[in-house]
Amino acid sequence: MTSDWQGFFKLIEAKNQFIVTCHVHPDGDAIGSLLAVGFLLKKLGKNVELVCSEGVPTVYTFLEGSELIKKERGPSLLPEVLIAVDCAERERCALAEEIWGIPGLIVINIDHHITNTGFGNLNIVDSQAAATGEVLLRLFKEAGIALEQGVATALYTAVATDTGFFRYSNTSSFTLELAATLVKEYGVEPAKVAEQVHEQKSFNSIRLLGEVLCTLKVGVGGKVAWMVLDQEMLNKYPVENEETESFVNYARSIEGVEIGILFKELRANEIKLSWRSSVNVDVSKLAAYFGGGGHARAAGCTLNGPVKKVVDDVLRFVAGFYEAR
Ligand code: 5GP
Ligand code: MN
């Protein structure tokens, strides 16, 4: 763990123009953390732009300030500092590529992915933290910065979504303590967050789930379960990217299954894999083999080729992985 908070505050003090971004295909941790850093910088009187090239998934638009997140940076601000939250690598930042060419741009990388490449000039990466929101909560607590209910709710959402609402193995007593503080001191309403995130699904997303579940298969001695989501299904039931995020959990939830995989056809010959695992397997290593990364229990990568070929290749690789163990 590196946590150079002194360096962080020193740097922030000296600069005025900031741009903050998160990873592509943003989730609750990405959006919640983005809002929290925006809150901090505004509180310190800085000029700040919040950018996520894909916009905010509808499910997170209930978060206060989410309307301030823009798809592109405006022309008026020339950033001196770029802060990336929840991004394991520079290439996953939800920003136009030209940003990296700005002369003298200082990059701050705040994250919790074990596969983080340390791409910042300053890196604050805690792979023990359940979420980037947890890393930030620790900062706010240690620096004695009071939160408002809106930003507290954003941070609660960040931690809740990355821990599967406090069910996954990354949930520590510290995670629960931080969440409790948010509820007790800042008026966060857990039931409201859960309702917004889980009880507002679109009709299409549930019908799409039905189609995807029909593709469910189990193999490799019952240890691996996988499902396919192709363009034909998406054309039949159009949904936002974020709405398919939880589908892979059904594969992992089967008794005896250690690895769940969702193969999602983003476009012809471009297949995004979502990997989920139980306690026995570190899927970040398997995803990294295919050029991706993530966490031990949740990882991702993208492969090129027709769906069927990608499925066959990946399953052969996973079978080989088990044989070698
Ligand atoms: P998901 O399956 O929900 O897209 O991703 C699960 C986890 O793996 C997330 O923490 C996400 O940031 C990470 N992840 C997903 N796709 C990639 C990828 O292509 N490269 C890397 N390094 N991480 C990924
Ligand atoms: Mn995260």
Side-chain angles (χ1 to χ4, degrees), residues 1-10 121-125:
M1 165 175 163
T2 46
S3 141
D4 184 5
W5 287 120
Q6 268 178 353
F8 175 78
F9 277 112
K10 227 161 125 189
N121 300 98
L122 187 82
N123 299 291
I124 297 167
V125 180

Side-chain angles (χ1 to χ4, degrees), residues 273-292:
L273 274 67
S274 284
W275 300 77
R276 298 293 183 270
S277 71
S278 60
V279 281
N280 291 333
V281 185
D282 179 352
V283 279
S284 74
K285 291 192 177 136
L286 302 183
Y289 175 83
F290 294 105

Side-chain angles (χ1 to χ4, degrees), residues 128-146:
Q128 299 293 312
T132 301
E134 186 176 304
V135 180
L136 290 168
L137 268 169
R138 192 187 288 248
L139 154 78
F140 283 110
K141 200 172 174 187
E142 285 175 12
I145 298 168

Side-chain angles (χ1 to χ4, degrees), residues 226-229 261-265 271-273 311 314:
W226 66 95
M227 303 187 295
V228 172
L229 199 181
I261 312 170
L262 176 71
F263 294 87
K264 180 175 176 181
E265 187 181 33
I271 319 298
K272 159 83 206 270
L273 274 67
V311 171
V314 168

Side-chain angles (χ1 to χ4, degrees), residues 204-212 233-234 237 239 244 247:
N204 271 2
S205 74
I206 302 295
R207 292 303 302 264
L208 181 63
L209 173 63
E211 301 261 326
V212 172
M233 297 173 200
L234 276 169
Y237 298 113
V239 296
T244 63
F247 287 9

